Amino acid sequence: MKKDRRVLVDHSSLDDAGVFAYGRGEALVQTVDFFTPVVDDPYDFGQVAAANAVSDVYAMGATPITALAILCVPETPLPEGTLRAILAGGQDKLKEAGVSILGGHSVKDPELKFGYAVTGVAPRRRLLTNAGARAGDRLILTKPLGAGVLATALKRGELDPAAVRRMTRVMATLNRAASEAAVEYGARAATDVTGFGLIGHALQMADASAVTFRLRPSREWFQPRALDLAARGVAPGGLKSNREFYGPRIREGLIPEPLRLGLYDPQTSGGLLIAIPPRRASAFRAALRRRRVWHVDAGEVAPRSAVAIELEAG
Ligand code: CO
Ligand code: CO
């Protein structure tokens, strides 16, 4: 089959989104994401599902414009108003993102699932990929980690209401402000932190850019309670499989075990990991502060060594 040169589907350098080149240097970014409830409140679930679905568009520095809803509804009846609340949560979040919902589709399924297919646009030359990080770049993370561990604790009924609210707020926050600042301040590469954990997504970026990431994790990177729960063995199945899969490519160093575990924790609707040239790093951080985007310095980019990621005590 002849290659369609308008379709940029190099998945090593693009996030879980596809890019279609059209017009004079324009790009269409398309992505789809839907999943089972991660929080109990249906409105909150709708918000999180929407923030998560648009995230890959933001990770690429593009602007989401339209969305189609995807809803899987179980045969067994749900509590009155559940579906309405999920859809309302999604609509409100996409309204905040400036995204128009054009329609959607629902099917019967054993398990409730919700999400969106999202379309975004960007000038092609401004697209952020995984592949642009260069030695010397600073790495910035824009949401605290720990969502997987906290969601597991929630399912076991071990999470206090304040922690549930905090976790929900983090997951429902759009990556919009972080993405806009990244494009405006000339970030070189970005990815969003989701199912493969910080380590997995950082590793994909390091590989695509042919560099090594030096990360200096500390407790501040995590939501309160997440590390204590991880230390007690509360962990989603994905954490273990992420560690098995990515561990051999990481020099874990001498950092404390709960911190290490947390880096493999799969995130739902996590933040962006952004590589920014050193001379623009402080202006970029100031821009994030002005936009009230939570962020930490995650480390820096080094020339390629024997491993993709080196962890150093923070
Ligand atoms: Co995704
Ligand atoms: Co992604």
Side-chain angles (χ1 to χ4, degrees):
M1 205 175 75
K2 196 158 164 276
K3 190 167 175 266
D4 183 344
R5 299 183 58 172
R6 296 167 300 178
V7 182
L8 316 178
V9 280
D10 172 7
H11 285 292
S12 60
S13 65
L14 299 177
D15 229 78
D16 20 326
V19 176
F20 181 80
Y22 72 100
R24 293 173 179 236
E26 298 300 307
L28 208 60
V29 176
Q30 297 201 293
T31 178
V32 56
D33 237 314
F34 59 108
F35 49 48
T36 56
V38 281
V39 287
D40 297 330
D41 181 87
Y43 180 85
D44 288 343
F45 171 49
Q47 293 235 310
V48 171
N52 177 69
V54 290
S55 178
D56 282 317
V57 175
Y58 289 132
M60 300 202 60
T63 305
I65 52 170
T66 60
L68 297 166
I70 295 153
L71 180 62
C72 303
V73 190
E75 306 268 3
T76 48
L78 294 163
E80 172 75 23
T82 301
L83 296 179
R84 222 177 312 121
I86 292 173
L87 291 167
Q91 274 160 13
D92 287 350
K93 188 48 69 178
L94 289 183
K95 192 172 174 202
E96 180 190 331
V99 172
S100 302
I101 300 171
L102 303 184
H105 187 68
S106 65
V107 291
K108 293 259 181 269
D109 192 85
E111 256 190 309
L112 176 66
K113 301 186 188 82
F114 181 61
Y116 293 93
V118 182
T119 297
V121 289
R124 265 178 82 179
R125 60 183 169 80
R126 298 193 83 171
L127 279 179
L128 296 172
T129 70
N130 285 346
R134 297 286 169 268
D137 286 354
R138 300 294 186 263
L139 295 166
I140 311 271
L141 173 69
T142 70
K143 277 190 192 182
L145 304 167
V149 167
L150 293 169
T152 305
L154 172 64
K155 283 198 188 102
R156 296 189 192 172
E158 286 179 41
L159 205 58
D160 55 287
V164 176
R165 277 196 300 275
R166 206 159 39 220
M167 169 186 91
T168 306
R169 199 181 336 113
V170 170
M171 291 190 294
T173 300
L174 292 173
N175 282 324
R176 178 185 190 163
S179 171
E180 287 173 357
V183 171
E184 190 180 327
Y185 285 82
R188 274 206 265 246
T191 194
D192 61 335
V193 179
T194 52
F196 301 131
L198 177 72
I199 285 278
H201 293 279
L203 185 142
Q204 288 172 3
M205 220 167 135
D207 275 356
S209 304
V211 292
T212 289
F213 281 7
R214 238 174 240 154
L215 305 179
R216 267 178 232 97
S218 70
R219 292 191 74 90
E220 290 157 54
W221 292 19
F222 293 85
Q223 293 187 57
R225 306 268 290 111
L227 291 180
D228 303 332
L229 287 161
R232 281 181 22 220
V234 178
L239 189 154
K240 203 166 157 259
S241 50
N242 283 342
R243 192 174 191 183
E244 278 164 11
F245 191 74
Y246 295 112
R249 310 259 338 267
I250 314 297
R251 195 164 76 208
E252 289 189 340
L254 294 171
I255 64 162
E257 177 69 3
L259 265 184
R260 257 189 258 189
L261 286 174
L263 299 177
Y264 294 96
D265 183 37
Q267 305 297 289
T268 298
S269 191
L272 301 183
L273 179 65
I274 297 165
I276 186 104
R279 68 200 146 81
R280 295 194 214 117
S282 63
F284 177 58
R285 283 189 209 98
L288 290 175
R289 275 194 296 275
R290 276 198 305 281
R291 291 165 206 236
R292 296 179 201 289
V293 178
W294 180 99
H295 61 282
V296 286
D297 284 333
E300 77 253 336
V301 181
R304 189 71 184 203
S305 74
V307 291
I309 295 183
E310 297 171 3
L311 302 182
E312 290 173 1

